[in-house]
């Protein structure tokens, strides 16, 4: 037994030697025997030596009858976190990324990290607490003990001497080119949702805060947006689907979203349920056809509020190997729980009203608990309120730390939100539609970490999330006709149609209940190769996705077209039960090594690893590396290269069967009053059923090469990224045609015959087959720049410039265009076939922001001048010339040399001007203003205007469409109250 209370190491050594038959051997020049330690150990010699090693930071080894003592490679970093008055802060998160260790402070506000250290190295320490200014400290990790000066976390206020006004880059994040947005910048943004923070990404066009369209993240691409009112671009959908959304360390998946019509009928780009939005004349906001569904792409960012987000990291480059199931980057969201005053905020905009409430509590035994609630009401046009989006929800987070030296930390989060997206029927338009998109989300997530101070493993993390949603898409429209013919037959062959009244309300109804379970285990270990310290991260992740919804609910007697079963080649919907679809499961393994070596006496930081993902029978291996070299104290150069993959969604794997109703014979009898005599009428149709098999659908893949550079000196900071990203195996629908030969039914020439028809010969019919395939390819190249200056004291102003240029080359698998036959010519071209045209698009945007911060006045004024420099699409002159066409009967005709005088196919020609109709003729500017003022220590008001000068230039596209690049001014006022 050894008991020591503040004794020197020399005294403890003598106690041990007095009780055992061993002698200590050591070098006093390398070990300080006067170091004071305390311990109380009961046990054998091995237990005593281990206890001495831990508190004295030495290594002890038995050799014969001697105990060899030598300096350990262990270092200790400790400190204390306080507020402005010097009072210790509890529940502060202290994170050491190089060790992947997190410490939650107790009542004393102290933290302590123990690590392996062979020599000195510089690392970053992140200290944060909800509602207080985050501190990012450069610390020195070296052998031995180091006590930091007290770290002060002040309450966020405009009165602070230094505040963050723009996103930053730091090559110590998950990727060399990551963009970091902290709480200060989030508060100044006036964001209605997470999507508004993407305005801060270099090269992105700034959009006015709004909730009236689907918002999906697109990173490093110049493709069209996924929120277009008409069809949605397949390349943009693939890009947004490949952007991972990671909240509190756990990925949130959209894999089980099946809110879509049967893509086998319409193709992926047109599968959403759309409704018309008329709007008042002169409103300028009406989107025309609108859909609030977001299948086949990323999550709708409108559903994520920014109330309790502490920081956001946008990874557009090569992500860490720990993150899988992505191809185009990641958005990493960190939220926090802990003691905080009651925060109430209200934001009033011309098209939205937002209320938010947050409160954090600290308990002595049960850690920190925080609650938040949010309500949003938004309209497209406040004058008619036909298009509305309402959102409300709440969340609770509980963080607790325990164990020896608070080594175990756990954060439990519960979230619930409801999103109601409605398009009401215009009372002045009897043909208008009523459309409703509802999404209710519930999730429980848990993040656990256990810090280990000794041995190879230094940290064990376990993150889990269970999410369940209710999604309901409903559309109705008044139909007014003489009669309707429909069929509910599901067997292949000839069936009788049913006559029904032509006045009814047609309904499109889809109900989904996605379930998503994600688990990830992360282990962090440390080892040495010579004097080089390695941080080895390895682990596994598992994802389970299922949809238990009722699916596509179809009432055959209320079709969405009066000509439902009376149109040749009509594709008719049938009930499709989503519960019968089997679940999707994914498994991933990863390993990553992080280390630093010296090259030419300058640090070279290396993060290299690989992951292996298993989906169905496919296995993908994704090596990744981020390397940065400190060429000079002011210059850092980075190089990154990596592969990634994204598994298909359930809606792509199981779109459901497609039914065709081919009319064969129709005899409609009428009564003396002119009404339809259904009992004596006859309608025959042939039912064709096609079940697409997409079991060969592979994960999409991408590879990216990136060069980055950062210069920092005397307050100036310049960051630049140059990238080349290639995506392949992109998922889209491939359209082909099949020809079926059926009997030809004609009217019986004998009007007295019992059967009103006769069969004479056969007739060919064309059937369309839309199948999901891997075929799209895209190349994305570009440059991003971020520049910030030190504060210019005479005017208390900081200047920030961000900008970028993106070039995208998109190549689809096929290009077809449909046309209507105006006459009866059986050889008329109704579907033109063109070469798989390559779409070359270049987009460039930049913004200059001046931030004037006057601490004594507690005032911050941000003025942004935005420049839309370039938006141009190029295609080849030959892309609009058809190479062939299909007729109504499915016959394919090749066009060896296009004849503009040929009456059967001359209408297929598309001019280059019509293909390049996105081109912007010049540079257009826009200007925005944001003002924040602390009225008191508890009250802050903010005012922001998009397009503050109401500058709205116009130009005509090549197709004579009038384009106004700047929308009308939108105003917002925000009140933040801290009690």
């Amino acid at each position: 037994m050894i008991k020591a209370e503040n004794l020197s190491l020399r005294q403890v050594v003598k106690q041990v030697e007095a009780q055992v038959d061993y002698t200590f051997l050591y070098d006093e020049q390398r070990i300080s025997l006067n170091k004071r330690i305390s311990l109380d150990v009961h046990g054998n010699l091995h237990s005593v030596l281990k206890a001495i090693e831990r508190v004295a930071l030495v290594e002890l080894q038995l050799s014969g009858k001697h105990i060899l003592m030598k300096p350990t490679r262990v270092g200790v970093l400790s400190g204390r976190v306080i507020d402005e008055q010097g009072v210790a802060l509890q529940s502060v998160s202290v994170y050491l990324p190089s060790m992947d260790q997190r410490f939650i402070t107790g009542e004393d506000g102290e933290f302590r990290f123990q690590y392996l250290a062979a020599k000195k190295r510089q690392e970053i320490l992140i200290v944060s607490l909800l509602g207080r200014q985050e501190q990012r400290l450069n610390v020195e990790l070296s052998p031995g003990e180091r006590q930091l000066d007290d770290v002060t976390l002040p309450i966020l206020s405009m009165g602070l001497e230094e505040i963050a006004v723009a996103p930053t880059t730091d090559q110590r994040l998950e990727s060399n080119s990551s963009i970091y947005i902290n709480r200060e910048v989030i508060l100044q943004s006036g964001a209605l949702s997470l999507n508004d923070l993407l305005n801060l990404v270099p090269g992105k066009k700034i959009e006015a805060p709004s909730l009236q369209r689907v918002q999906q993240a697109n990173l490093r691409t110049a493709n069209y947006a996924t929120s277009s009112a008409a069809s949605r671009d397949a390349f943009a959908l693939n890009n947004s689907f490949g952007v991972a959304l990671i909240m509190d360390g756990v990925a949130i998946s959209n894999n089980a979203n099946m809110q879509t019509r049967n893509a086998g009928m319409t193709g992926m780009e047109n599968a959403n349920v759309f409704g018309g939005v008329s709007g008042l004349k002169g409103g300028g906001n009406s989107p025309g056809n609108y859909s609030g569904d977001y299948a086949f792409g990323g999550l709708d960012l409108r559903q994520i509020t920014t109330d309790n987000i502490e920081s956001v990291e946008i990874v557009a480059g090569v992500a860490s190997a720990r993150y899988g199931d992505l191809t185009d980057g990641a958005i990493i969201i960190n939220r926090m729980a802990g003691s905080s005053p009651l925060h109430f905020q209200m934001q009033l905009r011309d098209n939205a009203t937002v209320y938010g409430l947050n409160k954090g509590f600290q308990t002595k035994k049960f850690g920190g608990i925080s609650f938040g609630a949010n309500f949003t009401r938004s309209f497209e046009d406040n004058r008619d309120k036909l298009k509305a989006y309402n959102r409300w929800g709440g969340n609770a987070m509980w963080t607790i730390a325990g164990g020896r030296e608070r080594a175990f930390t756990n954060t439990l989060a519960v979230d619930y939100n409801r999103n109601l997206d409605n398009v009401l029927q215009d009372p002045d338009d009897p043909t208008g539609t009523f459309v409703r998109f509802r999404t209710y989300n519930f999730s429980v997530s848990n993040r656990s970490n256990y810090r280990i101070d000794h041995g190879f493993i230094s940290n064990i993390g376990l993150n889990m999330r269970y999410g369940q949603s209710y999604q309901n898409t409903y559309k109705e429209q008044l139909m007014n006709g003489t009669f309707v013919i429909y069929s509910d037959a599901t067997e292949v062959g000839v069936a009788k149609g049913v006559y029904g009244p032509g006045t009814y309300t047609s309904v499109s109804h889809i109900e989904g209940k996605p379930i998503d379970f994600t688990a990830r285990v992360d282990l962090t270990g440390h080892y040495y190769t010579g004097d080089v310290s390695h941080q080895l991260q390895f682990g596994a992740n598992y994802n389970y996705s299922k949809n238990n919804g009722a699916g596509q609910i179809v009432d055959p007697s209320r079709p969405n077209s009066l000509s439902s079963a009376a149109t040749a080649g009509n594709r008719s919907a049938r009930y499709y039960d989503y519960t019968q679809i089997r679940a999707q499961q994914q498994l991933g393994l990863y390993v990553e090594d992080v280390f630093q070596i010296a090259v030419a006496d300058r640090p070279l930081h290396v993060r290299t690893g690989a992951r292996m993902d298993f989906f169905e029978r496919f296995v993908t291996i994704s090596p990744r590396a981020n390397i940065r070299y400190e060429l000079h104290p002011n210059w850092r150069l980075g190089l990154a290269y990596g592969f990634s993959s994204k598994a298909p969604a359930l809606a792509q794997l199981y779109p459901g069967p497609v039914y065709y109703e081919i009319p064969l014979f129709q005899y409609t009898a009428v009564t003396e009053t002119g009404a339809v005599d259904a009992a004596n009428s006859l309608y025959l149709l042939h039912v064709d059923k096609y079940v697409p098999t997409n079991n060969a659908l592979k994960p999409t893949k991408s590879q990216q090469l990136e060069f980055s550079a950062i210069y920092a000196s005397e307050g100036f900071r310049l960051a630049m990224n140059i990238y080349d990203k290639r995506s392949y195996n992109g998922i889209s629908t491939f359209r082909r045609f099949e020809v079926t030969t059926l009997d030809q039914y004609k009217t019986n020439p004998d009007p007295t015959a019992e059967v009103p028809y006769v069969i004479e010969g056969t007739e060919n019919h064309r059937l369309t087959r839309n199948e999901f395939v891997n075929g799209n390819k895209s190349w994305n190249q570009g440059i991003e720049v971020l520049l910030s200056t030190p504060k210019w004291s005479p005017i208390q102003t900081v200047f920030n410039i961000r900008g970028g240029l993106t070039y995208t080359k998109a190549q689809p698998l096929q290009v077809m265009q449909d046309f209507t036959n105006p006459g009866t010519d059986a050889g008329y071209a109704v579907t033109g076939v063109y070469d798989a045209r390559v779409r070359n698009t270049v987009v460039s945007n930049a913004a200059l922001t001046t931030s004037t911060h006057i601490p004594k006045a507690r005032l911050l004024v941000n003025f942004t001048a935005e420049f839309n420099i370039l938006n141009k699409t190029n295609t080849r002159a030959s892309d609009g010339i058809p190479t062939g066409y299909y007729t109504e009967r499915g016959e394919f005709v090749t066009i060896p040399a296009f004849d503009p005088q040929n009456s059967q196919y001359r209408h297929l020609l598309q001019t280059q001007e019509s293909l390049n109709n996105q081109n912007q003729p010049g540079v257009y500017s826009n200007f925005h203003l944001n003002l924040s003022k602390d009225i008191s220590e508890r009250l802050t008001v903010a005012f922001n205007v998009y397009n503050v000068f109401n500058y709205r230039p116009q130009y005509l596209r090549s197709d004579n469409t009038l384009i106004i690049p700047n929308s009308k001014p939108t105003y917002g006022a925000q009140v933040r109250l801290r009690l």
Side-chain angles (χ1 to χ4, degrees):
M1 180 187 74
I2 298 295
K3 185 173 183 179
E5 185 67 32
N6 199 27
L7 297 180
S8 67
L9 178 58
R10 188 188 305 276
Q11 291 173 305
V12 174
V13 167
K14 289 182 178 180
Q15 281 192 34
V16 176
E17 290 179 336
Q19 297 183 33
V20 296
D21 191 20
Y22 286 86
T23 303
F24 281 82
L25 297 179
Y26 48 82
D27 183 355
E28 288 198 51
Q29 293 183 347
R30 301 181 61 198
I31 298 177
S32 174
L33 294 178
N34 296 322
K35 178 189 298 182
R36 296 285 174 172
I37 61 174
S38 298
L39 71 161
D40 186 357
V41 187
H42 298 265
N44 54 25
L45 178 61
H46 178 76
S47 300
V48 172
L49 296 183
K50 284 295 182 183
I52 295 175
E53 283 183 332
R54 183 175 62 84
V55 297
L57 301 181
V58 295
E59 291 184 8
L60 301 175
Q61 181 180 356
L62 292 175
S63 179
K65 288 296 182 179
H66 299 288
I67 301 175
L68 305 180
M69 182 188 301
K70 58 182 179 179
T72 184
R73 289 178 169 179
V74 173
V76 172
L77 179 71
S78 59
R80 188 170 73 116
V81 186
I82 59 175
D83 63 13
E84 300 94 323
Q85 287 74 40
V87 179
L89 287 174
Q90 190 175 356
S91 294
V92 177
S93 170
V94 186
Y95 182 51
L96 188 61
S98 64
M99 302 289 295
D100 196 26
Q101 289 189 349
R102 190 180 302 274
F103 197 104
I104 304 297
T105 62
E107 294 182 5
D108 56 7
E110 295 181 352
F111 61 89
R112 182 180 185 273
F113 294 99
Q114 185 166 310
Y115 52 87
L116 295 176
K119 57 184 179 180
K120 297 180 182 179
R121 67 180 191 272
Q122 294 292 323
E123 297 294 348
I124 193 169
L125 185 71
I126 305 172
V127 186
S128 56
L129 178 64
L130 187 65
R132 293 183 177 269
Q133 188 178 52
E134 177 186 271
Q135 302 295 316
R136 300 173 69 86
L137 309 175
N138 289 314
V139 297
E140 182 183 273
L141 301 186
S142 58
E145 295 187 60
R146 187 185 175 198
Q147 176 79 26
L148 296 178
D149 295 335
D150 287 349
V151 181
T152 302
L153 290 187
I155 293 176
L156 288 175
S157 165
M158 297 297 112
L160 296 175
E161 286 297 324
E162 297 292 337
I163 62 173
V165 295
T168 60
T169 57
D170 190 329
Q171 292 184 327
R172 295 174 183 176
L173 297 171
E174 292 291 348
S175 170
N176 284 352
S177 58
S178 288
I179 297 173
Y180 185 77
I181 304 171
N182 67 10
R183 183 62 185 168
E184 295 168 88
V185 179
I186 293 173
L187 288 175
Q188 298 163 28
S189 67
L192 294 177
S193 69
L194 178 65
N195 183 73
D196 292 330
L197 298 182
L198 298 184
N199 285 334
L200 302 173
V201 174
K204 295 281 283 187
K205 178 179 172 60
I206 299 177
E207 299 177 352
S210 174
L211 298 172
Q212 295 304 319
R213 60 177 181 81
V214 171
Q215 298 173 348
Q216 295 173 302
N218 288 110
L219 298 177
R220 288 187 173 177
T221 181
N223 284 311
Y224 305 119
T226 61
S227 57
S228 60
S231 64
R232 296 180 176 176
D233 183 69
F235 291 95
L237 286 170
N238 277 273
N239 181 278
S240 66
F241 193 52
V243 177
L245 192 64
I246 300 164
M247 181 178 290
D248 302 329
V250 184
I252 305 177
S253 171
N254 197 38
N255 290 349
N257 186 342
M258 299 190 69
Q259 294 303 110
T260 171
R261 296 185 295 167
N262 193 321
M265 297 170 56
T266 63
M268 185 177 77
E269 297 182 344
N270 299 285
N272 295 97
V273 174
F274 289 95
V277 182
S278 57
L280 292 173
K281 185 176 181 181
N285 292 324
S286 176
N289 286 329
Y290 172 81
S291 177
D293 290 330
Y294 50 96
F296 306 125
L299 286 164
D300 187 358
L301 301 184
R302 293 182 297 180
Q303 301 176 13
I304 302 176
T305 66
T306 61
D307 291 357
N308 64 338
I309 294 179
E310 184 65 19
S311 65
V312 176
E313 181 179 346
I314 300 175
V315 184
V318 180
S320 166
R322 75 168 64 184
Y323 300 123
D325 204 32
L326 58 85
T327 52
D328 292 276
I331 300 175
I332 303 172
I333 304 168
N334 292 309
R335 303 183 300 176
M336 298 189 65
S339 177
S340 65
L342 177 65
H343 285 86
F344 170 77
Q345 66 175 7
M346 178 177 66
Q347 184 174 178
L348 303 176
R349 302 198 66 86
D350 48 2
N351 60 359
T353 304
V354 182
Y355 302 93
L357 193 68
N358 292 276
K359 179 71 175 82
F361 303 89
Q362 187 61 51
T363 64
K364 291 186 177 180
K365 294 184 179 181
F366 302 105
I369 304 173
S370 64
F371 300 92
N374 179 280
F375 173 77
T376 302
R377 188 171 180 82
S378 172
F379 296 102
E380 181 74 48
D381 192 322
N382 280 316
R383 298 175 299 173
D384 58 23
K385 294 181 170 55
L386 293 178
K387 170 70 181 68
Y389 181 87
N390 297 326
R391 174 189 69 195
W392 66 267
N395 76 289
M397 298 185 70
W398 174 36
T399 297
I400 191 171
R404 184 174 61 85
E405 297 184 354
R406 303 175 69 82
F408 175 76
T409 62
N410 191 86
T411 298
L412 175 69
V414 180
D415 293 88
Y416 178 78
N417 65 71
R418 297 166 69 99
N419 304 273
L420 311 177
D421 194 1
N422 298 329
V423 180
L424 302 180
Q425 183 180 13
D426 189 340
D428 298 324
D429 182 8
T431 64
T433 59
F434 166 75
V435 192
R436 181 184 65 216
F437 307 93
R438 290 185 176 180
T439 303
Y440 308 155
N441 300 313
F442 171 79
S443 68
V444 179
S445 62
N446 194 80
R447 177 172 58 185
S448 302
N449 281 278
Y450 185 69
R451 193 178 67 254
I452 303 174
D453 291 338
H454 297 280
F456 169 66
I457 300 296
S458 63
N459 192 81
I460 300 175
L462 176 62
N463 299 333
M464 294 185 295
R465 180 183 184 274
Y466 172 81
Q468 182 171 330
S469 300
Y470 173 78
Q471 299 173 331
N472 192 297
T473 301
Y474 181 86
K475 174 184 176 181
E476 63 179 35
Q477 184 175 12
L478 296 177
M479 294 293 181
N480 187 17
T482 305
F483 62 90
V484 66
I485 308 174
Y486 63 90
S487 171
D488 59 359
T490 57
E491 298 296 326
V492 177
V494 178
K496 285 186 177 182
V498 179
Y499 281 78
T503 302
Y504 62 93
T505 301
S506 70
V507 173
S508 298
H509 192 190
I510 306 173
E511 181 190 272
K513 295 181 180 179
I515 292 175
D516 186 72
F517 173 75
T518 301
R520 195 182 80 208
V521 59
D522 302 302
L523 295 97
T524 304
H526 284 83
Y527 70 97
Y528 277 86
T529 55
D531 288 336
V532 178
S533 173
H534 295 258
Q535 174 186 308
L536 187 68
Q537 298 176 340
F538 56 100
N541 66 274
Y542 170 78
N543 178 260
Y544 173 93
S545 298
K546 182 79 168 67
N547 196 309
N548 288 329
Q552 298 170 18
I553 304 170
V554 177
D555 182 353
S557 66
R558 298 197 294 173
N560 56 19
S561 172
L562 287 171
S563 57
S564 175
T567 301
N570 179 69
R571 282 154 280 182
S572 180
R574 296 290 190 274
Y575 175 62
Y576 182 33
D577 186 0
Y578 290 165
T579 63
Q580 303 303 310
I581 298 173
R582 69 187 187 93
Q584 180 193 75
Q585 300 185 67
Q586 300 178 64
L587 176 66
L589 307 172
Y590 80 91
V591 61
E592 190 170 61
D593 192 10
V594 182
F595 60 92
Q596 173 185 319
I597 60 175
V599 176
D601 294 328
R602 299 299 305 168
L604 176 69
H605 305 268
V606 179
R607 177 189 290 268
T608 180
R611 63 175 295 114
M612 180 181 293
D613 291 288
F614 302 85
F615 167 73
E616 300 293 343
R617 66 179 187 274
F618 302 105
V619 179
T620 58
I621 298 177
S622 305
R624 300 175 192 172
N626 278 273
I627 302 171
R628 70 178 188 273
Y629 181 59
E630 298 184 20
L631 183 65
H632 182 271
N634 299 336
W635 277 100
R636 293 180 182 175
L637 303 179
L639 184 66
Y641 184 70
F643 290 78
S644 55
S645 64
K646 179 74 177 76
L650 284 176
Q652 295 167 333
L653 292 168
Y654 310 105
V658 179
Y659 292 88
Y660 280 81
E661 297 174 345
I662 305 174
L664 300 175
F665 178 79
Q666 179 179 352
Y667 170 73
T668 303
V670 294
T671 64
E672 293 180 355
T673 62
V676 175
D677 183 2
N680 294 310
S681 298
L682 178 65
Y683 182 84
L684 298 179
L685 67 152
H686 177 84
V687 177
D688 175 83
K689 179 181 179 181
Y690 171 68
V691 181
T693 56
N694 297 331
N695 54 2
L697 205 59
K698 305 174 184 177
T700 59
K701 297 181 180 181
S702 72
Q703 59 176 321
Q704 185 166 190
L705 174 66
E706 177 186 71
F707 170 79
S708 58
I710 291 181
Y711 171 79
S713 177
E714 299 180 351
F716 289 92
R717 187 175 183 86
L718 172 66
M720 182 179 66
N721 306 309
I722 301 174
Y723 60 88
D724 180 286
K725 180 175 66 174
R726 305 190 178 191
S727 303
Y728 47 99
N729 282 351
I731 298 176
S732 63
T733 43
F734 182 83
R735 184 159 58 140
R736 61 183 180 85
F737 300 102
E738 288 185 2
V739 177
T740 183
T741 302
L742 302 176
D743 291 333
Q744 188 171 15
Y745 289 68
K746 294 184 177 180
T747 302
N748 196 325
D750 183 2
T752 62
E754 182 178 353
V755 179
Y757 61 84
V758 294
I759 299 176
E760 294 183 359
T762 59
E763 187 177 21
N764 290 337
H765 297 268
R766 187 182 79 165
L767 303 177
T768 303
R769 309 301 195 198
N770 286 301
E771 301 172 304
F772 282 100
V773 296
N774 300 102
N776 285 0
K777 300 178 182 178
S778 66
W779 296 261
N780 298 276
Q781 299 171 328
I783 181 171
E784 300 165 339
V785 176
L786 280 169
L787 173 64
S788 62
T789 70
K791 180 182 289 187
W792 188 15
S793 299
I795 58 173
Q796 295 289 295
T797 300
V798 173
F799 297 89
N800 290 280
I801 298 175
R802 65 179 183 271
L805 183 145
T806 303
Y807 165 76
T808 295
K809 178 181 176 181
Q811 182 176 356
L813 193 60
Q814 66 174 187
V815 177
M816 289 185 178
Q817 184 73 31
D818 291 328
F819 299 86
T820 301
N821 188 348
T824 59
D825 183 2
Y828 190 83
V830 295
T831 301
V833 179
Y834 306 83
D835 284 334
R837 66 177 66 118
V838 178
R839 191 176 71 202
N840 298 283
T841 304
V842 182
V843 173
S844 180
N845 297 290
L848 167 64
T849 300
T850 64
S851 301
T852 302
H853 176 221
I854 306 175
K856 291 184 179 180
R858 295 175 172 267
L859 175 68
L860 174 66
V861 179
N862 289 326
F863 179 80
T864 300
E866 178 191 6
F867 302 95
N868 307 134
I869 302 171
L870 191 64
N871 189 347
K872 186 176 183 181
T873 299
N874 291 324
T875 56
R876 296 169 300 188
S878 60
D879 285 341
I881 301 176
T883 59
Y885 62 90
Y886 286 93
T887 66
E888 288 180 331
R889 298 303 178 188
E891 179 186 2
F892 179 73
V893 179
T894 302
I895 304 177
F898 183 80
D899 180 7
Q901 304 302 321
N902 189 303
S903 60
Q904 290 188 320
Y905 64 71
R906 63 188 178 189
H907 56 282
L908 302 180
L909 180 65
Q910 300 181 44
T911 64
Q912 194 170 15
E913 289 76 13
S914 65
L915 297 176
N916 297 343
N917 61 8
Q918 185 180 332
N919 295 351
Q920 175 181 303
V923 177
Y924 295 94
S925 58
N926 204 349
F927 304 92
H928 321 293
L929 177 68
N930 188 304
L931 183 149
S932 299
K933 175 75 169 72
D934 284 351
I935 304 301
S936 67
E937 292 185 356
R938 299 180 181 275
L939 179 62
T940 301
V941 295
F943 180 72
N944 57 77
V945 187
Y946 170 88
N947 192 2
V948 64
F949 298 137
N950 193 18
Y951 176 57
R952 306 190 69 193
Q954 304 176 358
Y955 66 89
L956 282 176
R957 286 194 322 201
S958 57
D959 59 357
N960 287 324
T961 301
L962 180 65
I963 300 298
I964 305 176
N966 298 341
S967 65
K968 67 178 183 178
T970 65
Y971 305 88
Q974 190 174 25
V975 176
R976 298 193 294 268
L977 181 63
R978 181 172 58 87
L979 301 176

